[in-house]
Amino acid sequence: MDEFSFIDSIKQRSYKQSSLLKGIGDDAAVFRQTSEDIVTAVDTFVEGIHFSRDTMQAFHIGYRALAANISDLAAMGATPAFYLTSLVKPESWHVQEVEGIFIGMKELANSYGMDLIGGDTVSGKQLTISITVIGYVPGGKARYRSVAQKDDIVFVTGTLGDSRAGLHLLTENNSYEHTEFFIQRHRTPTPRVEFAKSLSKLSRIALNDISDGIANEAAEIAEASNVGILLYDESIPISPFYTQFSLKQQQEWKYFGGEDFELMGTVSAQEWPFVVQAAENTHTKISEIGIVTERSENSNVFMMKNNKKQRLNKCGYTHFK
Ligand code: ADP
Ligand code: MG
Protein backbone atom coordinates (compact mmCIF):
# COMPACT_ATOMS: atom_id res chain seq x y z
CA MET A 1 0.00 0.00 0.00
CA ASP A 2 1.41 3.39 -0.93
CA GLU A 3 1.07 6.59 1.04
CA PHE A 4 -1.89 7.77 -1.02
CA SER A 5 -3.97 4.65 -0.42
CA PHE A 6 -3.04 4.93 3.23
CA ILE A 7 -4.29 8.52 3.43
CA ASP A 8 -7.44 7.46 1.64
CA SER A 9 -7.98 4.67 4.18
CA ILE A 10 -7.81 7.03 7.17
CA LYS A 11 -9.81 9.80 5.52
CA GLN A 12 -13.28 10.47 6.91
CA ARG A 13 -16.12 10.03 4.43
CA SER A 14 -18.03 12.90 5.98
CA TYR A 15 -17.31 15.61 8.55
CA LYS A 16 -19.21 16.58 11.67
CA GLN A 17 -18.00 20.12 12.37
CA SER A 18 -20.17 22.69 10.61
CA SER A 19 -17.36 25.28 10.58
CA LEU A 20 -15.24 23.08 8.27
CA LEU A 21 -14.97 24.27 4.67
CA LYS A 22 -12.21 21.92 3.43
CA GLY A 23 -10.89 18.76 5.09
CA ILE A 24 -8.36 16.24 3.78
CA GLY A 25 -7.60 16.42 0.05
CA ASP A 26 -6.10 19.81 -0.69
CA ASP A 27 -2.87 21.55 0.30
CA ALA A 28 -4.38 22.61 3.62
CA ALA A 29 -7.64 22.45 5.55
CA VAL A 30 -9.95 25.46 5.91
CA PHE A 31 -12.48 26.27 8.62
CA ARG A 32 -14.36 29.45 9.43
CA GLN A 33 -14.81 30.78 12.91
CA THR A 34 -16.27 34.17 13.70
CA SER A 35 -17.33 34.32 17.31
CA GLU A 36 -15.19 32.13 19.56
CA ASP A 37 -11.54 32.05 20.54
CA ILE A 38 -9.50 29.31 18.89
CA VAL A 39 -7.33 27.07 21.09
CA THR A 40 -4.65 24.86 19.59
CA ALA A 41 -1.94 22.52 20.86
CA VAL A 42 0.45 19.90 19.51
CA ASP A 43 2.06 16.86 21.14
CA THR A 44 4.51 14.33 19.74
CA PHE A 45 4.81 10.65 20.67
CA VAL A 46 7.89 8.62 19.86
CA GLU A 47 8.04 4.84 20.10
CA GLY A 48 10.36 3.75 22.89
CA ILE A 49 10.06 7.12 24.65
CA HIS A 50 6.32 7.66 25.03
CA PHE A 51 4.96 4.21 24.37
CA SER A 52 6.01 0.68 23.67
CA ARG A 53 4.37 -2.06 21.64
CA ASP A 54 5.02 -4.37 24.60
CA THR A 55 2.37 -2.66 26.70
CA MET A 56 0.10 -1.03 24.13
CA GLN A 57 -1.67 -2.20 21.02
CA ALA A 58 -1.82 0.18 18.07
CA PHE A 59 -5.38 1.11 19.01
CA HIS A 60 -4.30 2.20 22.50
CA ILE A 61 -1.35 4.18 21.17
CA GLY A 62 -3.66 6.25 19.01
CA TYR A 63 -6.36 6.56 21.63
CA ARG A 64 -4.01 7.70 24.36
CA ALA A 65 -2.04 10.06 22.12
CA LEU A 66 -5.20 11.88 21.12
CA ALA A 67 -6.46 11.79 24.73
CA ALA A 68 -3.30 13.58 25.85
CA ASN A 69 -3.92 16.31 23.29
CA ILE A 70 -7.61 16.65 24.09
CA SER A 71 -6.64 16.89 27.75
CA ASP A 72 -4.66 20.04 26.90
CA LEU A 73 -7.76 21.50 25.29
CA ALA A 74 -9.80 20.55 28.38
CA ALA A 75 -7.25 22.32 30.59
CA MET A 76 -7.94 25.49 28.58
CA GLY A 77 -11.69 25.06 28.96
CA ALA A 78 -12.07 24.41 25.23
CA THR A 79 -14.41 22.25 23.17
CA PRO A 80 -12.45 19.93 20.83
CA ALA A 81 -13.24 20.35 17.13
CA PHE A 82 -10.39 19.19 14.87
CA TYR A 83 -7.15 17.22 14.81
CA LEU A 84 -4.27 16.84 12.35
CA THR A 85 -1.73 14.04 12.50
CA SER A 86 1.83 13.90 11.33
CA LEU A 87 3.17 10.38 11.02
CA VAL A 88 6.70 9.00 10.65
CA LYS A 89 6.48 5.30 9.71
CA PRO A 90 9.43 2.91 9.91
CA GLU A 91 9.55 -0.26 7.84
CA SER A 92 9.12 -2.41 10.95
CA TRP A 93 5.53 -1.18 11.22
CA HIS A 94 2.98 -2.74 8.90
CA VAL A 95 0.47 -0.33 7.34
CA GLN A 96 -2.41 -2.26 8.91
CA GLU A 97 -0.88 -1.71 12.31
CA VAL A 98 -0.52 2.00 11.66
CA GLU A 99 -4.16 2.08 10.63
CA GLY A 100 -4.88 0.63 14.06
CA ILE A 101 -3.43 3.81 15.59
CA PHE A 102 -5.85 5.87 13.51
CA ILE A 103 -8.77 3.65 14.53
CA GLY A 104 -7.86 4.30 18.18
CA MET A 105 -7.77 8.05 17.60
CA LYS A 106 -11.04 7.95 15.70
CA GLU A 107 -12.80 6.08 18.50
CA LEU A 108 -12.06 8.89 20.94
CA ALA A 109 -12.48 11.67 18.36
CA ASN A 110 -15.99 10.44 17.55
CA SER A 111 -17.07 10.80 21.15
CA TYR A 112 -16.29 14.53 20.90
CA GLY A 113 -17.51 15.04 17.33
CA MET A 114 -13.94 15.85 16.27
CA ASP A 115 -12.86 15.68 12.64
CA LEU A 116 -9.47 14.60 11.25
CA ILE A 117 -8.79 17.39 8.76
CA GLY A 118 -5.19 16.87 7.66
CA GLY A 119 -1.68 15.76 8.38
CA ASP A 120 1.46 14.49 6.82
CA THR A 121 2.83 11.00 6.16
CA VAL A 122 6.52 10.24 5.77
CA SER A 123 8.84 7.29 6.34
CA GLY A 124 11.64 7.36 8.89
CA LYS A 125 13.54 5.39 11.49
CA GLN A 126 11.27 5.50 14.54
CA LEU A 127 7.51 5.45 14.67
CA THR A 128 6.52 8.97 15.63
CA ILE A 129 3.10 10.47 15.74
CA SER A 130 2.51 14.14 16.21
CA ILE A 131 -1.03 15.38 16.78
CA THR A 132 -2.31 18.93 16.51
CA VAL A 133 -5.69 19.65 18.07
CA ILE A 134 -7.94 22.65 17.58
CA GLY A 135 -10.83 23.65 19.79
CA TYR A 136 -13.11 26.57 20.61
CA VAL A 137 -13.68 28.49 23.79
CA PRO A 138 -16.19 31.33 24.40
CA GLY A 139 -14.45 34.70 23.89
CA GLY A 140 -12.12 35.55 26.77
CA LYS A 141 -12.84 32.29 28.59
CA ALA A 142 -9.63 30.35 27.97
CA ARG A 143 -8.39 29.08 31.34
CA TYR A 144 -4.81 30.08 32.11
CA ARG A 145 -2.54 28.63 34.76
CA SER A 146 -1.31 32.14 35.58
CA VAL A 147 -4.42 33.32 37.43
CA ALA A 148 -4.09 31.51 40.78
CA GLN A 149 -4.25 33.78 43.85
CA LYS A 150 -3.30 33.39 47.48
CA ASP A 151 -5.98 31.58 49.55
CA ASP A 152 -7.49 29.86 46.48
CA ILE A 153 -8.66 26.30 46.98
CA VAL A 154 -6.57 23.74 45.10
CA PHE A 155 -8.56 20.84 43.65
CA VAL A 156 -8.14 17.84 41.41
CA THR A 157 -10.56 15.62 39.45
CA GLY A 158 -10.63 11.83 39.59
CA THR A 159 -7.94 9.74 41.27
CA LEU A 160 -4.18 9.92 40.83
CA GLY A 161 -1.45 7.39 40.16
CA ASP A 162 -3.71 4.90 38.35
CA SER A 163 -2.07 5.22 34.96
CA ARG A 164 1.40 4.61 36.36
CA ALA A 165 0.03 1.68 38.34
CA GLY A 166 -1.44 0.31 35.10
CA LEU A 167 1.95 0.52 33.43
CA HIS A 168 3.46 -1.32 36.40
CA LEU A 169 0.91 -4.11 36.01
CA LEU A 170 1.75 -4.38 32.32
CA THR A 171 5.47 -4.65 32.90
CA GLU A 172 5.82 -6.64 36.16
CA ASN A 173 4.40 -10.10 36.58
CA ASN A 174 3.20 -9.89 40.14
CA SER A 175 -0.25 -10.91 41.22
CA TYR A 176 -2.51 -7.93 41.79
CA GLU A 177 -6.25 -7.37 41.95
CA HIS A 178 -8.47 -5.29 39.71
CA THR A 179 -5.77 -5.08 37.08
CA GLU A 180 -8.25 -4.22 34.33
CA PHE A 181 -9.16 -0.91 35.96
CA PHE A 182 -5.55 0.28 36.14
CA ILE A 183 -4.67 -0.98 32.69
CA GLN A 184 -7.68 0.79 31.23
CA ARG A 185 -6.66 4.03 33.00
CA HIS A 186 -3.26 3.66 31.37
CA ARG A 187 -4.31 2.74 27.87
CA THR A 188 -7.56 4.60 27.32
CA PRO A 189 -7.70 7.62 29.65
CA THR A 190 -10.66 10.00 29.57
CA PRO A 191 -9.85 13.71 29.32
CA ARG A 192 -12.08 15.95 31.47
CA VAL A 193 -13.64 17.97 28.67
CA GLU A 194 -17.23 18.11 29.91
CA PHE A 195 -16.26 19.17 33.41
CA ALA A 196 -13.93 21.94 32.20
CA LYS A 197 -16.52 23.25 29.73
CA SER A 198 -19.13 23.46 32.42
CA LEU A 199 -16.93 25.92 34.35
CA SER A 200 -17.41 28.63 31.72
CA LYS A 201 -19.52 30.83 34.03
CA LEU A 202 -16.75 31.21 36.59
CA SER A 203 -15.00 34.55 36.65
CA ARG A 204 -11.55 33.15 37.49
CA ILE A 205 -10.14 29.62 37.61
CA ALA A 206 -6.64 28.31 36.95
CA LEU A 207 -6.50 24.91 35.23
CA ASN A 208 -3.73 22.51 34.29
CA ASP A 209 -4.02 18.93 33.13
CA ILE A 210 -2.06 16.18 34.82
CA SER A 211 0.34 14.83 32.24
CA ASP A 212 3.55 14.82 34.29
CA GLY A 213 2.22 14.27 37.80
CA ILE A 214 0.61 16.61 40.26
CA ALA A 215 3.92 17.81 41.74
CA ASN A 216 4.92 19.20 38.36
CA GLU A 217 1.52 20.61 37.49
CA ALA A 218 1.33 22.36 40.86
CA ALA A 219 4.78 23.85 40.26
CA GLU A 220 3.67 25.08 36.82
CA ILE A 221 0.64 26.85 38.26
CA ALA A 222 2.71 28.26 41.12
CA GLU A 223 5.41 29.58 38.81
CA ALA A 224 3.01 31.04 36.25
CA SER A 225 0.95 32.72 38.98
CA ASN A 226 3.88 33.69 41.19
CA VAL A 227 2.38 31.99 44.23
CA GLY A 228 3.08 28.95 46.41
CA ILE A 229 0.96 25.80 46.69
CA LEU A 230 0.51 23.64 49.75
CA LEU A 231 -0.95 20.17 49.20
CA TYR A 232 -2.50 18.00 51.94
CA ASP A 233 -1.15 14.50 51.47
CA GLU A 234 -4.13 12.81 53.13
CA SER A 235 -6.51 14.51 50.68
CA ILE A 236 -4.85 13.35 47.45
CA PRO A 237 -7.55 11.10 45.91
CA ILE A 238 -6.65 7.50 45.12
CA SER A 239 -8.77 4.70 43.72
CA PRO A 240 -10.12 1.94 45.99
CA PHE A 241 -7.56 -0.71 45.03
CA TYR A 242 -4.56 1.57 44.89
CA THR A 243 -3.51 0.59 48.40
CA GLN A 244 -2.41 -2.86 47.17
CA PHE A 245 0.80 -1.25 45.92
CA SER A 246 3.71 -0.55 48.26
CA LEU A 247 3.62 2.71 50.21
CA LYS A 248 6.64 3.92 48.31
CA GLN A 249 4.99 3.22 44.95
CA GLN A 250 1.74 4.84 46.04
CA GLN A 251 3.55 7.96 47.10
CA GLU A 252 5.72 8.19 44.04
CA TRP A 253 3.00 7.48 41.51
CA LYS A 254 0.37 9.81 42.86
CA TYR A 255 2.75 12.78 42.82
CA PHE A 256 5.03 11.98 39.91
CA GLY A 257 3.37 9.17 37.92
CA GLY A 258 1.56 11.43 35.50
CA GLU A 259 -0.56 10.62 32.47
CA ASP A 260 -3.75 10.40 34.49
CA PHE A 261 -5.06 13.29 32.38
CA GLU A 262 -7.11 14.57 35.27
CA LEU A 263 -7.42 18.31 35.83
CA MET A 264 -5.86 20.29 38.62
CA GLY A 265 -7.04 23.78 39.37
CA THR A 266 -7.31 26.63 41.80
CA VAL A 267 -10.37 28.76 42.49
CA SER A 268 -11.51 31.28 45.11
CA ALA A 269 -13.37 29.88 48.12
CA GLN A 270 -16.30 32.00 46.96
CA GLU A 271 -16.58 30.24 43.60
CA TRP A 272 -15.65 26.77 44.88
CA PRO A 273 -19.34 25.75 45.26
CA PHE A 274 -19.82 26.31 41.50
CA VAL A 275 -16.91 23.98 40.80
CA VAL A 276 -18.45 21.33 43.05
CA GLN A 277 -21.76 21.79 41.23
CA ALA A 278 -20.08 21.49 37.82
CA ALA A 279 -18.42 18.26 38.98
CA GLU A 280 -21.76 16.90 40.14
CA ASN A 281 -23.48 17.84 36.88
CA THR A 282 -20.83 16.08 34.82
CA HIS A 283 -20.47 13.06 37.17
CA THR A 284 -16.86 13.98 37.89
CA LYS A 285 -15.16 13.07 41.13
CA ILE A 286 -13.56 16.16 42.65
CA SER A 287 -11.36 16.65 45.73
CA GLU A 288 -10.05 19.66 47.57
CA ILE A 289 -6.35 18.90 47.98
CA GLY A 290 -4.63 22.09 49.10
CA ILE A 291 -4.39 25.83 49.27
CA VAL A 292 -2.59 28.59 47.40
CA THR A 293 -0.09 30.45 49.55
CA GLU A 294 2.33 33.26 49.11
CA ARG A 295 5.41 32.37 47.15
CA SER A 296 8.29 31.34 49.37
CA GLU A 297 11.94 31.86 48.56
CA ASN A 298 13.43 28.42 48.03
CA SER A 299 10.56 26.44 46.58
CA ASN A 300 6.94 26.90 45.65
CA VAL A 301 5.23 23.56 46.20
CA PHE A 302 4.92 21.97 49.64
CA MET A 303 3.12 18.98 50.99
CA MET A 304 1.69 18.52 54.46
CA LYS A 305 1.98 14.98 55.79
CA ASN A 306 1.45 13.88 59.39
CA ASN A 307 1.39 17.56 60.37
CA LYS A 308 4.85 18.04 58.90
CA LYS A 309 5.42 20.39 55.99
CA GLN A 310 7.90 19.20 53.39
CA ARG A 311 9.11 20.43 50.06
CA LEU A 312 7.76 18.68 46.97
CA ASN A 313 10.44 18.80 44.36
CA LYS A 314 9.73 18.74 40.67
CA CYS A 315 10.66 15.39 39.25
CA GLY A 316 9.63 13.53 36.18
CA TYR A 317 10.82 12.92 32.70
CA THR A 318 12.94 15.65 31.13
CA HIS A 319 13.92 15.24 27.51
CA PHE A 320 16.83 17.68 27.42
CA LYS A 321 19.27 17.16 30.25
P1 ADP B 1 0.83 17.87 0.18
O1 ADP B 1 1.87 17.39 -0.75
O2 ADP B 1 -0.04 18.95 -0.36
O3 ADP B 1 1.36 18.15 1.55
P2 ADP B 1 0.03 15.26 1.03
O4 ADP B 1 0.15 14.20 0.00
O5 ADP B 1 1.06 15.34 2.10
O6 ADP B 1 -0.18 16.65 0.31
O7 ADP B 1 -1.38 15.12 1.73
C1 ADP B 1 -2.57 15.03 0.99
C2 ADP B 1 -3.73 15.25 1.89
O8 ADP B 1 -3.76 14.23 2.87
C3 ADP B 1 -3.66 16.57 2.65
O9 ADP B 1 -4.98 17.05 2.81
C4 ADP B 1 -3.10 16.16 3.99
O10 ADP B 1 -3.53 17.04 5.01
C5 ADP B 1 -3.68 14.77 4.18
N1 ADP B 1 -2.82 13.88 5.00
C6 ADP B 1 -1.59 13.41 4.71
N2 ADP B 1 -1.12 12.64 5.69
C7 ADP B 1 -2.08 12.61 6.64
C8 ADP B 1 -2.17 12.02 7.94
N3 ADP B 1 -1.20 11.28 8.47
N4 ADP B 1 -3.30 12.24 8.64
C9 ADP B 1 -4.28 13.02 8.13
N5 ADP B 1 -4.26 13.59 6.94
C10 ADP B 1 -3.17 13.41 6.20
MG1 MG C 1 2.28 16.84 2.93
Side-chain angles (χ1 to χ4, degrees):
M1 188 190 270
D2 63 16
E3 160 201 343
F4 303 102
S5 327
F6 169 73
I7 294 168
D8 195 54
S9 79
I10 60 166
K11 185 178 157 179
Q12 289 177 207
R13 300 296 144 200
S14 64
Y15 294 101
K16 302 178 243 4
Q17 295 288 327
S18 56
S19 56
L20 188 71
L21 303 178
K22 188 74 191 175
I24 290 177
D26 213 305
D27 299 309
V30 183
F31 65 94
R32 184 174 293 161
Q33 182 57 27
T34 46
S35 57
E36 297 183 284
D37 291 345
I38 293 169
V39 180
T40 183
V42 62
D43 255 320
T44 302
F45 304 86
V46 182
E47 182 174 11
I49 305 270
H50 300 95
F51 63 85
S52 151
R53 274 193 279 183
D54 299 338
T55 57
M56 311 269 271
Q57 289 159 14
F59 178 94
H60 305 130
I61 294 165
Y63 192 106
R64 194 173 73 140
L66 185 60
N69 272 274
I70 294 176
S71 181
D72 282 325
L73 291 182
M76 299 303 284
T79 302
F82 303 114
Y83 65 114
L84 298 95
T85 60
S86 180
L87 172 78
V88 180
K89 184 188 123 23
E91 264 173 24
S92 61
W93 276 70
H94 199 272
V95 180
Q96 256 103 46
E97 224 182 339
V98 177
E99 281 172 351
I101 298 179
F102 282 78
I103 293 169
M105 287 192 284
K106 195 171 178 177
E107 169 98 2
L108 185 64
N110 282 347
S111 66
Y112 296 105
M114 284 179 103
D115 289 324
L116 175 62
I117 58 169
D120 200 21
T121 307
V122 298
S123 52
K125 285 217 170 69
Q126 226 170 345
L127 190 108
T128 303
I129 176 140
S130 177
I131 306 178
T132 302
V133 283
I134 297 168
Y136 301 137
V137 70
K141 287 289 186 180
R143 299 308 188 179
Y144 303 127
R145 49 175 84 147
S146 55
V147 300
Q149 290 179 10
K150 182 176 175 293
D151 298 328
D152 274 2
I153 286 174
V154 180
F155 67 86
V156 69
T157 62
T159 53
L160 301 182
D162 300 333
S163 174
R164 182 62 188 80
L167 179 62
H168 181 74
L169 296 179
L170 287 164
T171 48
E172 308 288 315
N173 37 16
N174 274 305
S175 50
Y176 291 100
E177 288 175 15
H178 297 270
T179 54
E180 268 316 300
F181 166 80
F182 294 103
I183 290 172
Q184 175 270 320
R185 290 274 285 162
H186 179 69
R187 285 176 164 171
T188 54
T190 306
R192 296 296 190 178
V193 172
E194 293 310 319
F195 166 71
K197 275 170 64 178
S198 68
L199 300 169
S200 67
K201 296 242 157 46
L202 271 76
S203 63
R204 180 181 62 82
I205 184 165
L207 283 183
N208 200 358
D209 75 314
I210 302 180
S211 48
D212 295 329
I214 201 169
N216 288 284
E217 317 307 345
E220 285 177 358
I221 293 178
E223 271 163 37
S225 302
N226 200 28
V227 293
I229 287 181
L230 175 64
L231 301 174
Y232 316 131
D233 185 69
E234 290 79 16
S235 306
I236 308 289
I238 55 169
S239 57
F241 300 97
Y242 190 69
T243 50
Q244 68 184 307
F245 303 104
S246 79
L247 283 174
K248 188 167 172 282
Q249 287 167 330
Q250 288 183 44
Q251 193 72 5
E252 195 177 310
W253 297 346
K254 71 184 183 186
Y255 285 110
F256 306 109
E259 293 184 334
D260 287 310
F261 302 116
E262 296 293 345
L263 291 178
M264 174 181 197
T266 92
V267 69
S268 68
Q270 217 176 0
E271 287 199 293
W272 171 238
F274 297 112
V275 178
V276 173
Q277 188 61 53
E280 222 174 278
N281 294 347
T282 56
H283 312 290
T284 308
K285 177 181 167 65
I286 194 162
S287 313
E288 178 176 347
I289 58 162
I291 188 154
V292 177
T293 65
E294 253 161 32
R295 189 186 189 112
S296 69
E297 262 165 44
N298 45 7
S299 177
N300 42 26
V301 183
F302 291 88
M303 178 248 283
M304 190 76 105
K305 191 175 183 180
N306 303 326
N307 287 322
K308 278 218 307 265
K309 191 171 149 181
Q310 58 192 82
R311 215 156 92 183
L312 200 55
N313 288 321
K314 265 205 272 189
C315 141
Y317 199 93
T318 42
H319 289 267
F320 296 156
K321 300 256 163 60

